[in-house]
Amino acid sequence: MGGEDALREPWKYFDLIGGTSTGGLIAIMIGQLKMSIPDCIESYGKLSQNVFGSKSFCAKVFGYYGATIVGGTEYHSKAFEKEVQKLLDHHLPLDQKKLLSQSTSISKAKLLLPLSLQAEYPKVFVAALQQEAANPILLTNYTTNHNSQFKHFAILEAARATSAASTIFEPLRVEVDGVASNFVDAGLGYNCPIHLVMNEARRIWGNRPFGCILSLGTGVQPDAPVGKNLKDVAMTCKDMATNAQRIANAFYLGLVGEDSELLEVYFRLNVDQGLASIRLDEYEKLSEVGARTTAYLDLHQKELDKICMQLKAPTPPTRSRGTR
């Protein structure tokens, strides 16, 4: 797929990149900051260690469940914000830096690009939930008529909102149209935001055919038994609501039934062994994540070759490419 070029500039191969939580942060790194794959891997490793290397005071005193009961979180959102600011310091493209005045902090850099720059970037969105309404919000780097009240979000705020996983970080509190609102990650129901991506692509490009639809998972979760007591039932309901592979499976079955022509351009990559038990905050296991991912990709080389062919194929005006 162009080998080194694809590693250095993966953003060139996509028209639309969307994600939530970790996927949202990756969407920002690749699409908004135009980072290379090696830089993404290195930066995410450093971010994970610096953010998850120290628990919050509440978690240290009360433990995970105790912190949850008293309304606390496991980690410091300020530490996360500091790491995202480092990303911006090192990787915000020059054309975006020039938009900032000398007195404006780089942390205020907007996610929404000016019209003069939008053609130079893939379209990027990160998904979050507005707690007051519990509906998914798409924070975008491109102009859109819906969710226009959120166009003033900074890149840092968008990263915080989509990463505010329950019990991990506190919600992001932002004033929207003069009213304070709380935003959390869209993991509850949208951990695999493939439907959001498809809906957005069709809203933007109408009925234009797709060149490639690539969905990336973070490990297949085993189906949990329902259990016998209320606590077990509640945990099972949560697992079902956040199980990304369930959503991906439902999407695939929908293609089989209604949009079978998309089966030729839809790909789902999701490591099927060993990752489901690794928590978001277990940064010390990133080497294991890398090893298991490499082993999985080695076993799916033919599918990777096909994905590469689809992505590097010329994209005429009647086609579009999308990804999660």
Side-chain angles (χ1 to χ4, degrees):
M1 194 172 75
E4 290 298 319
D5 181 62
L7 288 173
R8 288 195 305 267
E9 298 181 309
W11 61 272
K12 287 184 175 181
Y13 293 88
F14 300 97
D15 298 315
L16 174 65
I17 307 174
T20 187
S21 194
T22 301
L25 187 59
I26 292 171
I28 288 174
M29 289 195 291
I30 291 178
Q32 185 82 9
L33 304 185
K34 294 184 175 180
M35 292 171 62
S36 69
I37 296 300
D39 282 346
C40 286
I41 294 173
E42 180 182 1
S43 296
Y44 185 79
K46 290 179 179 178
L47 180 148
S48 296
Q49 182 173 356
N50 292 336
V51 172
F52 300 127
S54 178
K55 289 183 179 288
S56 68
F57 174 78
C58 191
K60 289 178 181 177
V61 173
F62 299 105
Y64 168 72
Y65 291 107
T68 303
I69 291 172
V70 300
T73 58
E74 284 191 87
Y75 297 98
H76 304 280
S77 60
K78 292 297 182 184
F80 178 82
E81 292 172 7
K82 182 179 179 180
E83 292 305 309
V84 173
Q85 180 150 347
K86 288 181 184 178
L87 279 179
L88 298 177
D89 287 335
H90 289 95
H91 298 288
L92 188 69
L94 182 60
D95 53 9
Q96 293 185 59
K97 286 183 178 179
K98 289 180 178 179
L99 300 174
L100 301 171
S101 66
Q102 290 185 345
S103 60
T104 302
S105 167
I106 202 167
S107 65
K108 301 296 184 182
K110 299 298 182 184
L111 179 67
L112 178 64
L113 296 168
L115 288 174
S116 59
L117 288 183
Q118 288 185 20
E120 305 299 320
Y121 287 77
K123 297 184 186 302
V124 172
F125 77 74
V126 300
L129 290 180
Q130 191 173 12
Q131 277 192 327
E132 292 78 9
N135 58 309
I137 301 298
L138 302 188
L139 305 173
T140 70
N141 74 341
Y142 53 92
T143 304
T144 175
N145 291 327
H146 68 297
N147 294 341
S148 59
Q149 67 269 38
F150 307 114
K151 64 183 179 181
H152 299 298
F153 267 66
I155 298 172
L156 189 151
E157 290 174 326
R160 261 283 283 125
T162 196
S163 300
S166 175
T167 75
I168 300 292
F169 301 121
E170 65 265 26
L172 172 72
R173 191 168 180 81
V174 176
E175 192 169 286
V176 178
D177 292 339
V179 179
S181 292
N182 294 302
F183 295 85
V184 297
D185 82 316
L188 195 63
Y190 301 94
N191 243 355
C192 173
I194 184 64
H195 292 95
L196 298 179
V197 170
M198 295 298 291
N199 290 342
E200 193 68 356
R202 284 170 170 150
R203 187 191 65 78
I204 296 169
W205 291 293
N207 293 323
R208 289 168 54 185
F210 288 85
C212 182
I213 305 166
L214 177 59
S215 177
L216 304 178
T218 56
V220 177
Q221 293 177 255
D223 290 329
V226 174
K228 297 181 179 180
N229 57 53
L230 185 60
K231 177 184 175 183
D232 289 341
V233 171
M235 290 301 295
T236 300
C237 290
K238 177 186 175 184
D239 289 342
M240 291 175 66
T242 58
N243 191 320
Q245 191 58 40
R246 280 178 174 267
I247 300 171
N249 290 344
F251 176 76
Y252 178 82
L253 291 175
L255 295 185
V256 172
E258 299 178 8
D259 291 305
S260 57
E261 72 279 1
L262 292 183
L263 292 174
E264 295 184 7
V265 297
Y266 170 68
F267 304 92
R268 169 76 173 171
L269 298 177
N270 198 15
V271 179
D272 50 12
Q273 292 184 5
L275 295 193
S277 61
I278 298 178
R279 280 170 48 93
L280 172 67
D281 56 351
E282 292 183 301
Y283 66 90
E284 69 278 4
K285 294 186 178 181
L286 284 178
S287 59
E288 180 183 347
V289 172
R292 290 188 178 276
T293 301
T294 298
Y296 170 84
L297 294 177
D298 287 343
L299 291 174
H300 293 78
Q301 189 59 54
K302 288 185 178 180
E303 187 172 8
L304 288 177
D305 291 341
K306 190 173 181 181
I307 292 171
C308 291
M309 287 181 61
Q310 292 295 128
L311 288 176
K312 71 180 182 181
T315 307
T318 56
R319 296 174 66 191
S320 61
R321 290 178 290 210
T323 184
R324 171 197 181 255

